[in-house]
């Protein structure tokens, strides 16, 4: 077997391949034209983010059996084209978690003890112990926003410093908080209580600028902010102003809204209060070794006719079965995505109930497709049909799959029931014989929705005028309504409305909708 290593990776993985009789070519200087000429010689390729494996390149890869991404992101790989050619694509997510957690602690300590500033002063010949006197972590409250893999590692390390840790993460169950010995609180409470705040969330619409002007005003005076997650999680202009105003005492920032930094980057002007780093969270010798070793070992699994640990594109059903239930894969994923757009409580248990004709098939892959749809909007772990269950398990979410009696109304029905500590919510969908998908139940409401496009979902009291005011408000703002569905539990009781609209809503329109008399809540779901 011959393997091409086309991007810089640790020698540790290369050694593993060579020890197992693999002929390895290490060439990180291939031009695009040279890559087209060379790729057909190899059975496998290990790469990072610089090698473009697009459809044209892959069309020349006649012998390629496996593509191993030494890292998590794979935007440079045409997975669909690889799948059509029968090439297994895999990645190595989570291998730099310890490095990111340690960078968080390094910045927390560095800011608290003015390490970088004092070092610079000494290099400039200034000895000033009073100016650079710091504060202890001992006994302080650390607020962790995002208690996933890295957030959990930071929690353990902070507790070793005798810090009191609280966390905010609406997508994990209370049992995970209990596992780490932390109180799970809402974001506002975390902002009000914390002496230190550290972020460990993916970048989604919900977490973009999760810390901005409004959030900084809710924080304690003298709080310290650490970000080793995603640059756009923090509004850096707002952070700059909060530090200038004295609200925030200091910050340790590893990731930035624009990288590399320009000389005009505002936080660079606050060198006495802020430590910045050039996105080093996952960049350690050990992390680079880990992704290289993992890529090599998984590649060997494929060469030995096994399956890799974190594949991105392997088939999950026999072809004849797939033809029958293919539409339910799509429906299940859309049900998950739709629920993710409505979710406002910590997930404890997910139950998927199947009824009707589809119960004759193995539906575990369909359940996995639903999990993929549910988790992808709220995580950045590249959730796929193979790792979705592992990620759910890692986050302490219990998965239950069951098959019930035939549906009285539909030939086949999928019901997603999500349990949180506060309540149980559910929605159901079906596929008609012409392969048209519909969401047919939301909670206790019967409804008929095409799961596609941008959906505005409102919860309101059943009273005259609400529907009309919503329509008028959207029209006044140039937002076209493509379809409308209504449901209610009883006259004058609670009601739901689902509108398919042609564009997203800005913040002002959302606020105006919530001000309508009788409006309880609104959610925007993109399918």
């Amino acid at each position: 077997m011959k393997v091409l290593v086309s991007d810089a990776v640790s020698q540790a993985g290369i050694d593993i391949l060579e020890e197992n009789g693999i002929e390895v070519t290490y060439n990180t200087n291939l031009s695009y034209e040279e890559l087209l000429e060379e790729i057909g010689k190899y059975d496998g390729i290990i790469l990072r983010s610089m090698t473009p494996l697009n459809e044209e390149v892959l069309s020349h890869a006649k012998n390629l059996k496996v593509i191993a991404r030494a890292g998590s992101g794979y935007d440079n790989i045409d997975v669909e084209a690889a799948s059509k050619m029968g090439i297994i694509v895999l990645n190595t997510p989570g291998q730099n978690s310890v490095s990111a957690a340690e960078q968080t602690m390094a910045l927390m300590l560095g800011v608290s003890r003015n390490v970088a500033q004092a070092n610079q002063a000494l290099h400039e010949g200034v000895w000033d112990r009073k100016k650079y006197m710091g504060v202890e972590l001992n006994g302080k409250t650390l607020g962790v926003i995002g208690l996933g893999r890295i957030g959990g590692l930071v929690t353990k390390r902070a507790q070793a410093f005798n810090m009191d840790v609280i966390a905010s993460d609406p997508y994990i169950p209370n049992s995970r908080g209990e596992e780490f010995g932390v109180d799970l609180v809402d974001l506002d409470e975390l902002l009000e209580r914390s002496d230190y705040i550290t972020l460990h969330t993916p970048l989604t619409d919900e977490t973009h600028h999760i810390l901005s002007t409004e959030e900084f005003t809710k924080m304690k005076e003298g709080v310290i902010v650490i970000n080793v997650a995603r640059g756009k999680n923090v509004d850096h202009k707002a952070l700059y102003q909060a530090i200038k105003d004295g609200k925030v005492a200091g910050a340790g920032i590893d990731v930035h809204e624009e990288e590399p930094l320009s000389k005009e980057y505002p936080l660079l002007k606050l060198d006495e209060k802020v430590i910045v780093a050039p996105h080093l969270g996952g960049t350690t010798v050990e992390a680079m070794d880990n992704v290289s070793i993992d890529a090599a070992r998984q590649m060997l699994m494929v060469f030995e006719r096994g399956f890799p640990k974190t594949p991105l594109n392997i088939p999950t059903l026999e072809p004849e079965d797939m033809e029958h239930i293919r539409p339910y894969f799509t429906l299940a994923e859309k049900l998950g995505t739709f629920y993710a757009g409505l979710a406002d409580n910590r997930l404890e248990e997910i139950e998927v109930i199947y009824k009707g004709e589809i119960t004759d098939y193995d539906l575990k892959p369909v359940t996995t497709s639903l999990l993929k749809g549910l988790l992808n909007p709220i995580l950045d772990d590249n959730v796929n049909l193979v790792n979705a269950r592992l990620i759910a398990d890692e986050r302490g979410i219990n998965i239950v799959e069951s098959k019930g009696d035939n549906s009285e109304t539909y030939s086949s029905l999928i019901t997603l029931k999500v349990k949180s500590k506060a309540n149980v919510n559910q929605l159901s969908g079906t596929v008609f014989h012409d392969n048209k998908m519909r969401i047919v139940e939301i909670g206790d409401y019967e409804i008929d929705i095409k799961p596609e496009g941008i959906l505005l979902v409102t919860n309101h009291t059943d009273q005259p005028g609400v529907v009309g005011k919503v329509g008028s408000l959207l029209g006044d703002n140039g937002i076209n309504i493509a379809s409308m569905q209504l449901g209610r539990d009883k006259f004058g009781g609670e009601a739901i409305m689902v509108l398919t609209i042609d564009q997203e809503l800005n913040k002002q329109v959302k606020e105006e909708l919530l001000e309508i008399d009788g409006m309880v809540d609104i959610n925007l779901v993109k399918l």
Side-chain angles (χ1 to χ4, degrees):
M1 293 288 187
K2 298 177 67 175
V3 169
L4 172 65
V5 178
S6 58
D7 290 326
V9 302
S10 163
Q11 183 66 32
I14 297 172
D15 290 343
I16 289 174
L17 292 175
E18 291 180 335
E19 288 167 5
N20 284 272
I22 306 299
E23 181 182 337
V24 180
T25 300
Y26 186 89
N27 190 342
T28 61
N29 297 310
L30 289 172
S31 67
Y32 186 78
E33 291 70 24
E34 289 170 336
L35 180 63
L36 291 175
E37 293 178 7
E38 291 293 311
I39 191 71
K41 301 176 182 178
Y42 297 97
D43 301 282
I45 181 171
I46 295 180
L47 70 160
R48 290 183 62 76
S49 60
M50 299 304 294
T51 302
L53 289 189
N54 55 33
E55 187 172 8
E56 182 183 20
V57 173
L58 291 173
S59 69
H60 290 71
K62 301 302 182 182
N63 295 309
L64 205 62
K65 301 173 180 62
V66 56
I67 300 167
R69 167 64 163 96
S72 57
Y74 49 92
D75 292 346
N76 55 317
I77 304 170
D78 189 331
V79 177
E80 183 177 351
S83 299
K84 289 178 181 177
M85 296 180 63
I87 302 169
I88 291 178
V89 184
L90 63 92
N91 65 346
T92 60
Q95 296 298 327
N96 60 2
S97 299
V98 170
S99 294
E102 290 187 357
Q103 176 76 340
T104 301
M105 298 306 299
L107 288 173
M108 200 181 305
L109 287 163
V111 174
S112 300
R113 302 305 299 269
N114 299 306
V115 174
Q117 297 89 335
N119 172 71
Q120 184 62 34
L122 282 177
H123 279 281
E124 294 171 357
V126 177
W127 179 282
D128 192 338
R129 296 177 66 194
K130 182 177 180 181
K131 180 178 181 180
Y132 297 112
M133 179 171 59
V135 295
E136 294 182 353
L137 302 187
N138 180 55
K140 302 297 194 306
T141 296
L142 171 65
V144 178
I145 302 176
L147 195 61
R149 186 187 302 116
I150 298 172
L153 292 172
V154 169
T155 294
K156 290 181 179 179
R157 285 154 178 76
Q159 288 168 335
F161 280 84
N162 198 36
M163 299 187 84
D164 179 24
V165 182
I166 59 177
S168 176
D169 189 331
Y171 303 108
I172 63 167
N174 284 303
S175 58
R176 183 165 174 83
E178 294 168 0
E179 175 189 345
F180 284 97
V182 305
D183 289 334
L184 293 178
V185 300
D186 62 32
L187 182 59
D188 282 350
E189 183 177 346
L190 181 144
L191 298 175
E192 293 167 3
R193 290 176 53 186
S194 299
D195 301 299
Y196 292 75
I197 294 174
T198 180
L199 293 102
H200 302 288
T201 65
L203 180 61
T204 65
D205 290 343
E206 185 180 4
T207 62
H208 179 267
H209 284 184
I210 192 172
L211 295 187
S212 191
T213 302
E214 182 179 349
E215 287 72 31
F216 288 123
T217 61
K218 296 176 181 178
M219 294 180 188
K220 275 186 177 182
E221 201 82 15
V223 67
I224 290 175
V225 175
I226 308 295
N227 188 17
V228 188
R230 297 290 184 269
K232 292 182 180 179
N233 288 155
V234 177
D235 181 343
H236 286 86
K237 291 181 180 178
L239 175 59
Y240 171 84
Q241 193 59 50
I243 295 172
K244 290 285 288 183
D245 294 342
K247 183 72 170 184
V248 176
I253 307 297
D254 185 60
V255 288
H256 314 278
E257 294 200 65
E258 299 294 336
E259 297 181 0
L261 301 183
S262 69
K263 292 182 179 179
E264 289 72 37
Y265 186 59
L267 295 182
L268 293 177
K269 303 172 185 176
L270 301 174
D271 55 326
E272 289 294 325
K273 300 286 187 180
V274 179
I275 297 177
V276 292
H279 202 151
L280 298 178
T283 306
T284 61
V285 171
E286 291 84 358
M288 294 301 97
D289 280 351
N290 289 342
V291 296
S292 179
I293 291 168
D294 195 13
R297 286 177 174 167
Q298 292 199 65
M299 179 169 280
L300 288 173
M301 291 179 190
V302 176
F303 287 157
E304 293 167 1
R305 299 184 181 276
F307 290 106
K309 183 175 61 177
T310 52
L312 298 169
N313 67 336
I314 60 174
T316 55
L317 284 175
E318 293 297 324
E320 56 270 25
D321 289 348
M322 177 65 83
E323 280 305 308
H324 287 287
I325 67 171
R326 186 187 304 276
Y328 290 95
F329 273 83
T330 305
L331 173 65
E333 184 170 348
K334 287 179 178 288
L335 285 172
T337 302
F338 188 89
Y339 185 86
L342 303 180
D344 59 356
N345 286 303
R346 209 165 280 118
L347 307 181
E348 301 279 352
E349 180 178 281
I350 295 170
E351 182 179 4
V352 188
I353 305 166
Y354 297 98
K355 294 182 178 181
E357 297 172 0
I358 55 170
T359 58
D360 293 336
Y361 301 94
D362 176 10
L363 296 170
K364 286 185 174 61
V366 180
T367 301
T368 305
S369 186
L370 188 149
L371 291 173
K372 175 176 180 285
L374 179 63
L375 297 176
N376 251 325
I378 57 178
L379 302 175
D380 66 349
D381 284 345
N382 297 320
V383 183
N384 58 64
L385 292 176
V386 177
N387 65 14
R389 288 179 181 266
L390 295 174
I391 290 172
D393 183 64
E394 181 181 75
R395 300 179 73 84
I397 301 170
N398 188 37
I399 312 298
V400 178
E401 180 185 302
S402 62
K403 296 180 179 181
D405 298 331
N406 290 341
S407 169
E408 296 179 1
T409 309
Y410 305 101
S411 60
S412 293
L413 188 72
I414 302 176
T415 297
L416 166 62
K417 184 180 291 186
V418 181
K419 299 178 183 179
S420 67
K421 192 169 185 179
N423 52 31
V424 177
N425 291 316
Q426 70 179 53
L427 63 152
S428 301
T430 192
V431 177
F432 293 112
H433 290 296
D434 53 4
N435 283 343
K436 291 182 178 178
M437 289 172 284
R438 293 291 190 274
I439 295 175
V440 294
E441 293 177 356
I442 301 177
D444 295 327
Y445 304 109
E446 293 185 2
I447 207 148
D448 184 2
I449 308 167
K450 289 183 180 180
E452 59 187 40
I454 302 172
L455 304 178
L456 172 62
V457 184
T458 73
N459 295 95
H460 56 274
T461 55
D462 180 40
Q463 64 186 51
V466 175
V467 174
K469 289 176 182 176
V470 171
S472 297
L473 178 57
L474 295 180
D476 291 343
N477 285 275
I479 298 168
N480 193 47
I481 299 173
S483 67
M484 174 189 293
Q485 285 288 311
L486 297 165
R488 65 180 184 182
D489 58 357
K490 61 181 178 180
F491 176 75
E494 297 179 353
I496 189 171
M497 176 168 59
V498 182
L499 303 176
T500 304
I501 56 179
D502 290 345
Q503 64 194 76
E504 294 190 45
L505 308 182
N506 60 36
K507 185 177 180 180
Q508 179 181 339
V509 174
K510 292 178 182 178
E511 290 174 350
E512 291 177 3
L513 285 170
L514 287 169
E515 290 173 359
I516 293 174
D517 182 39
M519 187 64 67
V520 177
D521 190 23
I522 65 167
N523 288 283
L524 204 64
V525 181
K526 291 182 287 185
L527 296 176

